[in-house]
Amino acid sequence: MNSTNNTVLLEKQGDIATVTLNRPDKHNGLNEAMFYGLLDAAKAIKKDRSIRCVILKGAGESFCAGLDFASVAKNPSMAVKFFLKLPWSKDNRFQRIAHIWRDLPMPVIAAVHGNCFGGGMQIILGCDYRIATPDARLAIMEGKWGLIPDMSGTVTLSRLTRVDIAQELTMTGRIFSAEQGAEYGLISRISDEPLQSAQELAQTLCEKSPDAVAAAKALFKKTWKRDTRSALLWERLIQLRILGRKNQRIAMQNGLAKDQAPKPFKDRTTF
């Protein structure tokens, strides 16, 4: 399994796919090739039902320093092309680059170190879990350039933190620490070795029914901050999609077995 260009690397080991932002000399600043590489990687992962978890990381000294403005300045048509939205699509390419990780059926874990600014920050906000080093530097930095976050940040920020915190970080564009990020609800966990911690979490998730894990992600995506009536409806609908299927039956057998080795799960059959 490989991505389409070397600015983004896609590797698969067992049930886990690892996506690496690979412009270390530019602190993984986002350029056109990286945009396409990330989108291609996510599409390939979505098609592979054997993948049960995804880890997103950056090569070199930083996770991602945000949009490479120098690269965009040399190719102004890219900004126009990526900003325009097709009539039948819910998002444009700028928004999709971050929101596509939220749309994947399996959990996505971001292992964050160094700088994580602007577009990089919006990408990790689209992940299910964000594990960062204590010295990671984070920022919703678009305000520095006279802009607002426009890569789905409004969708993810509203689910993770309070509106006053989101507004203050967006308006000031200030750099904040991983510890502050955890306090704000934007960082899930702090670790000296975020990649190792991400791999351990991914392995734990891979030991569960892939259908149940995907169903849980879909459930909270549909119901988070919804009214009670809608949330209860989605609970019933999503439960019906996994009840009695192969992996649910295997989970029941494993749960009831005492001293027997657990039976391995099948590839994801729904979602």
Side-chain angles (χ1 to χ4, degrees), residues 170-236:
T170 299
M171 292 174 181
T172 64
R174 69 174 172 87
I175 296 172
F176 56 97
S177 67
E179 184 176 349
Q180 289 173 308
E183 179 185 337
Y184 300 152
L186 304 179
I187 294 298
S188 310
R189 189 190 309 174
I190 297 173
S191 170
D192 291 326
E193 299 292 340
L195 179 57
Q196 180 179 329
S197 296
Q199 290 168 337
E200 290 170 355
L201 175 57
Q203 191 56 52
T204 298
L205 292 168
C206 287
E207 293 170 0
K208 311 302 179 184
S209 163
D211 291 342
V213 171
K217 179 168 179 173
L219 175 67
F220 287 112
K221 182 180 176 184
K222 292 287 188 182
T223 62
W224 200 251
K225 297 188 177 181
R226 280 283 191 97
D227 63 278
T228 301
R229 191 179 189 89
S230 296
L232 294 177
L233 171 62
W234 277 110
E235 276 188 11
R236 298 192 298 272

Side-chain angles (χ1 to χ4, degrees), residues 84-98:
L84 294 176
K85 184 186 81 69
L86 296 172
W88 55 86
S89 177
K90 70 180 179 183
D91 54 15
N92 62 27
R93 285 194 182 100
F94 280 127
Q95 294 165 330
R96 195 173 309 139
I97 199 73

Side-chain angles (χ1 to χ4, degrees), residues 37-237:
L38 285 167
L39 292 173
D40 288 346
K43 289 175 184 176
I45 289 168
K46 189 173 184 177
K47 291 177 182 177
D48 190 339
R49 288 183 175 270
S50 70
I51 294 175
R52 300 186 187 179
C53 197
V54 179
I55 296 173
L56 198 58
K57 67 184 182 73
E61 298 178 2
S62 292
F63 177 82
C64 176
L67 189 65
D68 185 344
F69 281 95
S71 174
V72 174
K74 295 176 183 177
N75 184 16
S77 63
M78 170 201 150
V80 176
K81 179 171 60 177
F82 279 40
F83 190 81
L84 294 176
K85 184 186 81 69
L86 296 172
W88 55 86
S89 177
K90 70 180 179 183
D91 54 15
N92 62 27
R93 285 194 182 100
F94 280 127
Q95 294 165 330
R96 195 173 309 139
I97 199 73
H99 202 261
I100 197 167
W101 309 104
R102 189 167 176 262
D103 283 341
L104 287 179
M106 70 289 290
V108 182
I109 308 167
V112 184
H113 73 289
N115 296 333
C116 185
F117 299 153
M121 187 69 194
Q122 292 185 79
I123 287 172
I124 70 166
L125 292 177
C127 297
D128 299 288
Y129 308 99
R130 292 154 296 282
I131 304 175
T133 57
D135 59 352
R137 301 168 75 239
L138 315 168
I140 302 170
M141 197 172 273
E142 284 79 7
K144 176 181 178 180
W145 311 106
L147 301 169
I148 60 167
D150 65 343
M151 291 171 58
S152 78
T154 50
V155 175
T156 48
L157 281 169
S158 68
R159 287 161 170 78
L160 296 172
T161 193
R162 303 193 317 250
V163 66
D164 58 325
I165 292 173
Q167 285 184 167
E168 188 258 324
L169 294 177
T170 299
M171 292 174 181
T172 64
R174 69 174 172 87
I175 296 172
F176 56 97
S177 67
E179 184 176 349
Q180 289 173 308
E183 179 185 337
Y184 300 152
L186 304 179
I187 294 298
S188 310
R189 189 190 309 174
I190 297 173
S191 170
D192 291 326
E193 299 292 340
L195 179 57
Q196 180 179 329
S197 296
Q199 290 168 337
E200 290 170 355
L201 175 57
Q203 191 56 52
T204 298
L205 292 168
C206 287
E207 293 170 0
K208 311 302 179 184
S209 163
D211 291 342
V213 171
K217 179 168 179 173
L219 175 67
F220 287 112
K221 182 180 176 184
K222 292 287 188 182
T223 62
W224 200 251
K225 297 188 177 181
R226 280 283 191 97
D227 63 278
T228 301
R229 191 179 189 89
S230 296
L232 294 177
L233 171 62
W234 277 110
E235 276 188 11
R236 298 192 298 272
L237 293 176

